[in-house]
Amino acid sequence: MDFKIVEVFNRSVTIELESEAVFRQQAEFGVYINGEKSLMTDKNVVSVMGLLPDTKYKIGVDAGGELVEKEFVTGHESVLLDVTKFGAVGDGKTSDTAAIQAAICACPADGTVYLPAGQYLTTPIFLKSDMTFWLDEGAVLLGETDRKKYPVLPGMTMSTDEKDEYNLGTWEGNPLDNFASLVTAIDAQNLDIIGPGTIDGNAQNADWWKDAKVKRIAWRPKTLFLCRCRKVRVQGVTVQNSPCWTVHPYYSDDLAFLNLYIHNPSDSPNTDGLDPESCSNVRVLGTVISVGDDCMAIKSGKYYMALKHHKVTENVQIRNCKFERGHGSVTVGSEAAGGVRDVRVSQCEFIGTDRGLRIKTRRGRGERSVLDDILFENIMMEGVHMPFTVNMFYFCDPDGHSDYVQNQAPAPVDEMTPVIGSITGRHISCTGVSSCVLCAVGLPESPIGKLCFEDIKVSFAPEAERVPERPVMMDNFDEMSGRSIYAKNVRELVLSDVEISGAADGEPELVGVERQSVSGLEYV
């Protein structure tokens, strides 16, 4: 069994098996460091912690008695700064913010700020460039519950010469004041955040989830916020109980999220797992997400940010991950006015989410909102109610129910009209479907460009277990149960080698589909 070394840190390494298996192997295998067994696992992406910096190692994978090994050298570390030496107590009661921030400020280039086991109660801490932030086994960074102790990041500040804007705060795609996140990095580069410890927003013990859509002082914080950062890697950390979106990279590039575990209660509001917004070159590998909203939502802001600070989100790779519960497994939109392109989702498990592939936009996102070249392949969905949904009438905005957004008559094509290009799904298995397999609704004036689904095998849950649901969040759209394929306002629909078992209907319902290519569509 061959593997590749994905990333080498100063005290850890991440590898990925070169296998077509989805997320995990059928049996556990051994991972060895210098010939000694380090751990047993069945996961395709594995991180080994507890190494020493500036050291040559051999890492090996035992594939049925044959040990395949590769060499690597851990990264350089200039100094290790233990936060307890700066006065951090770690008892979960004493405020450790100042001590941890002092260690960060004192950390030289290539240094590591180290949190040993303990509960470190803090308000937001701010990381910087050229450092490692290491939460060891049993270390918990625990968020204070009093919002009045959290600094506010202003949405926009005019430059002194009044020719430019400086953006810090953001809320649902707009530049608005929001509280700083428990871990915040602004304009940082060459930053590593490594585990196996925990970053805990502690929202269940605060009032962040109460009246969640009401602004109180400022908008709710995330738990990990990366603003205009570059070359950031996050490995092996648990992030949980977030006040709002959990991990939010924003206008950042060259990012790696490896073997994270992101968890929020299923009823926690707007607690998306990982939301790259106006970011490029993003890798998400071996990560498990179970949250109260979309597991991942790929975004690029609302109209103002796309107009004044345009940045496409592009080159996003999501591989060997597991997404559970939540409204969508991997979502594109709806705040995607800057456009999203070149998204690859592969070898992932989607378990018990409402939707699998979820695309959402609406009139008003603008002509730069082009969602294109999105590929899902080699996916296993289990208990996903609606595997594929595409919606250009999304209503979750203050004006989302207005006639402008929801009117299904053709509107003029102008600078406010969004575009959906090519979306492909192939080599996908879906079991326990309840509502529908594919529900796609384009704008009459801007139909969905191309939907292509190849080698798809679907089985519905028994009729008694199905709950009628509205697959797309738009007005004047009926609930569905046991439906196979519904497509409206689509330029081209390709269905090839699609098998659907247990559907209540026996053929697709196509409305305003300009071209269709159907081969090997079988109802069982």
Side-chain angles (χ1 to χ4, degrees):
M1 183 186 302
D2 204 0
F3 64 94
K4 58 186 176 183
I5 296 175
V6 175
E7 293 286 349
V8 178
F9 298 75
N10 60 5
R11 291 177 177 267
S12 55
V13 63
T14 296
I15 64 171
E16 182 178 28
L17 301 185
E18 294 191 338
S19 165
E20 293 185 359
V22 174
F23 181 60
R24 68 181 74 226
Q25 299 294 302
Q26 292 185 348
E28 287 192 336
F29 57 91
V31 179
Y32 292 75
I33 295 292
N34 293 341
E36 296 186 4
K37 185 181 291 184
S38 174
L39 56 89
M40 294 288 294
T41 184
D42 62 353
K43 305 300 188 298
N44 290 344
V45 180
V46 184
S47 294
V48 178
M49 313 289 188
L51 306 179
L52 296 175
D54 300 288
T55 303
K56 181 184 289 187
Y57 286 97
K58 281 186 178 180
I59 186 167
V61 171
D62 180 6
E66 180 184 357
L67 189 63
V68 179
E69 291 186 305
K70 296 187 178 182
E71 288 188 348
F72 67 96
V73 178
T74 50
H76 173 64
E77 181 179 273
S78 60
V79 67
L80 180 72
L81 299 180
D82 185 331
V83 297
T84 63
K85 304 298 184 182
F86 288 75
V89 178
D91 63 0
K93 300 176 182 178
T94 305
S95 176
D96 287 323
T97 308
I100 295 174
Q101 195 65 60
I104 294 167
C105 291
C107 187
D110 300 326
T112 296
V113 171
Y114 171 62
L115 277 67
Q119 284 202 336
Y120 301 88
L121 183 67
T122 71
T123 54
I125 62 169
F126 290 76
L127 304 181
K128 63 180 186 178
S129 298
D130 302 309
M131 66 167 287
T132 295
F133 189 66
W134 176 20
L135 298 110
D136 203 354
E137 182 77 40
V140 179
L141 193 74
L142 186 66
E144 278 269 13
T145 58
D146 184 357
R147 69 177 59 214
K148 293 180 181 178
K149 295 181 179 179
Y150 281 61
V152 173
L153 298 179
M156 278 294 185
T157 303
M158 290 300 298
S159 61
T160 302
D161 61 9
E162 298 186 351
K163 293 181 180 180
D164 204 354
E165 296 177 318
Y166 182 61
N167 172 220
L168 288 172
T170 175
W171 171 256
E172 295 190 344
N174 281 322
L176 301 173
D177 296 359
N178 77 300
F179 289 106
S181 300
L182 185 57
V183 177
T184 299
I186 299 170
D187 294 309
Q189 60 183 349
N190 302 318
L191 169 65
D192 290 340
I193 302 168
I194 64 174
T198 299
I199 303 172
D200 190 333
N202 203 18
Q204 78 280 12
N205 293 315
D207 64 355
W208 297 117
W209 296 338
K210 180 181 178 182
D211 298 324
K213 292 291 188 178
V214 176
K215 179 182 177 182
R216 285 177 284 168
I217 304 174
W219 292 108
R220 287 180 291 154
K222 291 74 175 180
T223 297
L224 171 58
F225 181 51
L226 305 173
C227 178
R228 292 187 304 275
C229 292
R230 185 170 174 266
K231 294 185 178 178
V232 178
R233 304 181 298 178
V234 188
Q235 179 208 46
V237 178
T238 294
V239 192
Q240 63 189 25
N241 299 320
S242 183
C244 192
W245 300 349
T246 310
V247 179
H248 184 202
Y250 182 68
Y251 283 83
S252 295
D253 302 319
D254 303 325
L255 310 172
F257 301 95
L258 312 173
N259 285 123
L260 303 192
Y261 179 60
I262 298 174
H263 183 271
N264 299 309
S266 60
D267 59 351
S268 53
N270 310 113
T271 55
D272 295 11
L274 174 51
D275 289 10
E277 180 175 357
S278 296
C279 295
S280 66
N281 305 328
V282 181
R283 287 177 299 150
V284 184
L285 305 180
T287 289
V288 177
I289 302 178
S290 178
V291 291
D293 207 319
D294 292 325
C295 293
M296 280 197 65
I298 302 169
K299 302 174 180 290
S300 58
K302 290 183 178 174
Y303 186 73
Y304 181 86
M305 293 304 289
L307 183 67
K308 299 291 187 180
H309 303 271
H310 181 230
K311 183 174 173 61
V312 178
T313 292
E314 58 187 340
N315 189 19
V316 179
Q317 299 178 35
I318 303 164
R319 192 166 61 249
N320 281 312
C321 294
K322 180 178 181 180
F323 300 138
E324 305 176 284
R325 296 188 291 111
H327 296 171
S329 296
V330 178
T331 294
V332 177
S334 77
E335 303 93 341
V340 174
R341 64 189 178 214
D342 190 11
V343 175
R344 301 288 181 267
V345 184
S346 61
Q347 294 177 254
C348 291
E349 292 184 353
F350 299 168
I351 310 294
T353 56
D354 294 341
R355 300 163 183 86
L357 179 158
R358 186 185 191 192
I359 312 293
K360 49 186 181 179
T361 188
R362 45 148 288 183
R363 295 186 184 106
R365 289 293 184 250
E367 60 189 355
R368 287 178 165 174
S369 182
V370 179
L371 314 182
D372 192 24
D373 192 15
I374 297 164
L375 171 63
F376 283 58
E377 63 179 344
N378 202 9
I379 307 291
M380 190 280 288
M381 302 192 201
E382 182 179 303
V384 175
H385 305 187
M386 303 156 272
F388 312 108
T389 67
V390 185
N391 178 16
M392 297 188 76
F393 288 90
Y394 187 66
F395 61 36
C396 286
D397 274 330
D399 66 340
H401 297 284
S402 67
D403 182 70
Y404 170 69
V405 175
Q406 294 298 324
N407 195 317
Q408 296 190 41
V413 175
D414 57 22
E415 70 277 4
M416 305 305 290
T417 306
V419 173
I420 292 180
S422 172
I423 300 167
T424 301
R426 63 192 183 205
H427 314 315
I428 298 174
S429 169
C430 312
T431 60
V433 176
S434 59
S435 175
C436 67
V437 179
L438 166 65
C439 183
V441 184
L443 293 172
E445 70 272 16
S446 180
I448 297 163
K450 182 177 181 179
L451 298 176
C452 180
F453 294 95
E454 303 172 331
D455 186 22
I456 311 293
K457 189 169 184 178
V458 178
S459 63
F460 274 86
E463 185 175 356
E465 298 177 12
R466 301 174 193 163
V467 177
E469 294 176 273
R470 182 162 50 177
V472 289
M473 298 176 69
M474 60 180 287
D475 291 344
N476 304 310
F477 197 89
D478 293 337
E479 293 179 335
M480 291 183 174
S481 177
R483 293 285 294 276
S484 59
I485 295 169
Y486 178 87
K488 182 176 182 180
N489 301 327
V490 178
R491 289 201 169 90
E492 183 177 3
L493 175 65
V494 177
L495 301 173
S496 176
D497 297 323
V498 177
E499 179 183 297
I500 301 174
S501 173
D505 56 19
E507 61 181 7
E509 182 177 353
L510 308 180
V511 182
V513 176
E514 298 175 15
R515 298 185 303 278
Q516 55 179 291
S517 173
V518 180
S519 60
L521 173 61
E522 182 180 4
Y523 284 78
V524 180

